[in-house]
Amino acid sequence: MPLDTPGAGQHELVFLDPLDPDAPGVGWQALCDAAIDRNPFFSPGFLCPLLENMGRGSVRLVVVRDRVTGRWLVAAPVGRRRLGLALATSATWSTDYSPLGTPLIHPDAGEDALRCFFEACAGHGGVFAMSYLPLHSKSAQRLIAAVPGRTRVVARSARASHGSGGNGAAQLAAADSGKRRKEMRRLLRRLGDHGKTRFSSHQGADAIAAFEAFLHLEAGGWKGRTGTALLNAPQTAAFARGVVANMSRGDGVRIDQLRVGEELVAALVLFQDRGRVFSWKIAFDEAYARYSPGAQIALQAFRTNLASPGFTGADSLAVPGHTMIGPLWRGRMETGTLLYARGTFGGLLRTLCVADLKLKQAARRAARSLKRRLTG
């Protein structure tokens, strides 16, 4: 049920509980299907299992819709969270499991609808943040243009991606050429000494069984030992299984596998949304680490993406500078946190948020530097 329905003119603003089965109706998925930029992590198929199992907190689905037709024009899950070390603010609900903060924006959403969305999300605090926003996307361009002078981009970074068509083919040729190509093929032949090697892709109902195999492969490696594998906690296992079950119904999940004989040695879980591919989780058998199974499956996924009908591009979702995926997926997608501020004290609050984020980034750099010194 809507928690509030203020609004003026042609737009209606509503705040929905994403887990209320009667609230979203068909409007939510219809907007996901029509949005100018894909974001499967803000779809009901992903967001509902996340909130059901990982804590719903104060997250609400902020929706701007047409007052006459009821059509959804803009939507995103929004909650209050700490972006830096100390200050909490209203923010889109992107997480380590869903590092993409692009709001769902209908092609017909005008600047009035976007301004209504910003105002609603900023609330009484006057500041609103969108983390992990692709800065060169259509959505980012529209959002910034709708509220000139009221936004600032911070925490910029670039993560691995790859293109489609000729651009993607050129990136693959650059990644899989020369010494690397020769070495990767040699390692795959050596892996074949243990049994016949075979790559495969699984979608639809087959993806559910393939995901179970992935879960056990991941739990058997270093993530299992450190307690960060999905199977290490009942809630993360239930969340992940729910997501894959939901998204497999429309071929929204693809799981690529590398096997030696009947033994699974590497697996990559990818989400697919209208030609856009998102690489979500990877695992490999450490007994075969000398043959680079993770790199092998990442390269094969690249080839599979390029051969897929309607493919438009891939996002690795990896941390910037990832040592395995970075040299293979040669494209780069710049992301950042878009801070919006309004009201008399909005600019001051935004400045404080920027300083807080910079402190957090400095602390992380110092921790990584210390770790390198201790382990080097």
Side-chain angles (χ1 to χ4, degrees):
M1 293 292 292
L3 301 182
D4 192 11
T5 57
Q10 67 186 88
H11 301 124
E12 182 181 32
L13 173 66
V14 293
F15 298 84
L16 304 176
D17 179 350
L19 298 182
D20 182 346
D22 297 324
V26 298
W28 188 358
Q29 188 58 55
L31 180 57
C32 292
D33 295 339
I36 58 175
D37 289 307
R38 289 75 167 154
N39 190 347
F41 304 105
F42 286 176
S43 72
F46 187 96
L47 187 66
C48 289
L50 175 71
L51 297 180
E52 285 170 355
N53 295 283
M54 308 295 285
R56 60 198 294 174
S58 59
V59 178
R60 291 293 180 265
L61 200 62
V62 179
V63 182
V64 179
R65 62 191 184 193
D66 186 285
R67 183 179 293 277
V68 176
T69 66
R71 182 176 59 174
W72 289 30
L73 298 173
V74 191
V78 175
R80 196 157 184 84
R81 68 190 324 162
R82 186 174 298 165
L83 293 180
L85 295 178
L87 296 178
T89 188
S90 174
T92 51
W93 208 251
S94 46
T95 70
D96 290 341
Y97 291 107
S98 50
L100 187 63
T102 312
L104 303 170
I105 301 175
H106 194 279
D108 294 339
E111 290 188 352
D112 286 347
L114 295 174
R115 284 193 289 269
C116 183
F117 174 74
F118 272 117
E119 290 288 312
C121 293
H124 297 298
V127 178
F128 171 54
M130 298 182 199
S131 300
Y132 301 112
L133 179 69
L135 299 179
H136 299 288
S137 63
K138 294 177 182 178
S139 296
Q141 293 166 9
R142 286 201 186 190
L143 288 163
I144 293 171
V147 285
R150 293 192 178 186
T151 61
R152 180 175 175 181
V153 176
V154 295
R156 293 174 183 262
S157 63
R159 64 193 187 202
S161 63
H162 77 74
S164 60
N167 181 40
Q171 291 172 344
L172 178 60
D176 190 24
S177 63
K179 291 183 179 179
R180 178 179 288 111
R181 179 184 181 91
K182 183 177 180 180
E183 179 64 6
M184 292 294 285
R185 291 192 172 188
R186 183 188 72 83
L187 291 174
L188 195 59
R189 289 195 300 271
R190 289 282 309 279
L191 181 61
D193 294 340
H194 298 272
K196 184 178 180 180
T197 58
R198 175 170 55 92
F199 289 104
S200 61
S201 292
H202 304 267
Q203 300 182 70
D206 291 343
I208 296 177
F211 186 62
E212 286 300 314
F214 167 85
L215 287 173
H216 290 282
L217 181 65
E218 182 190 56
W222 67 270
K223 287 188 177 181
R225 295 192 298 273
T226 58
T228 57
L230 291 169
L231 281 183
N232 279 124
Q235 61 268 31
T236 55
F239 145 66
R241 284 174 170 139
V243 166
V244 170
N246 287 343
M247 301 183 75
S248 65
R249 297 188 186 108
D251 285 342
V253 177
R254 188 183 91 219
I255 300 180
D256 292 349
Q257 295 183 338
L258 170 59
R259 289 184 178 272
V260 175
E262 295 303 313
E263 188 173 2
L264 181 64
V265 298
L268 180 61
V269 182
L270 308 106
F271 296 136
Q272 304 178 131
D273 190 344
R274 292 179 294 149
R276 187 76 177 166
V277 173
F278 303 85
S279 174
W280 191 49
K281 291 287 182 179
I282 190 169
F284 64 88
D285 188 332
E286 294 170 10
Y288 297 95
R290 71 190 69 157
Y291 308 113
S292 299
Q296 299 281 4
I297 198 69
L299 266 178
Q300 181 63 22
F302 198 153
R303 300 185 190 103
T304 301
N305 291 342
L306 291 180
S308 300
F311 172 69
T312 61
D315 179 354
S316 72
L317 302 177
V319 295
H322 194 284
T323 56
M324 186 274 288
I325 196 70
L328 300 178
W329 289 22
R330 293 294 186 91
R332 292 295 179 267
M333 188 182 75
E334 188 180 15
T335 67
T337 296
L338 184 68
L339 283 176
Y340 165 81
R342 65 165 174 77
T344 305
F345 299 104
L348 174 60
L349 288 172
R350 186 175 61 196
T351 300
L352 291 174
C353 287
V354 170
D356 195 32
L357 275 168
K358 288 182 177 179
L359 285 174
K360 181 179 180 179
Q361 290 176 311
R364 284 183 170 178
R365 287 195 296 269
R368 286 195 295 265
S369 177
L370 178 60
K371 182 178 179 180
R372 285 194 296 270
R373 289 199 299 268
L374 293 176
T375 59

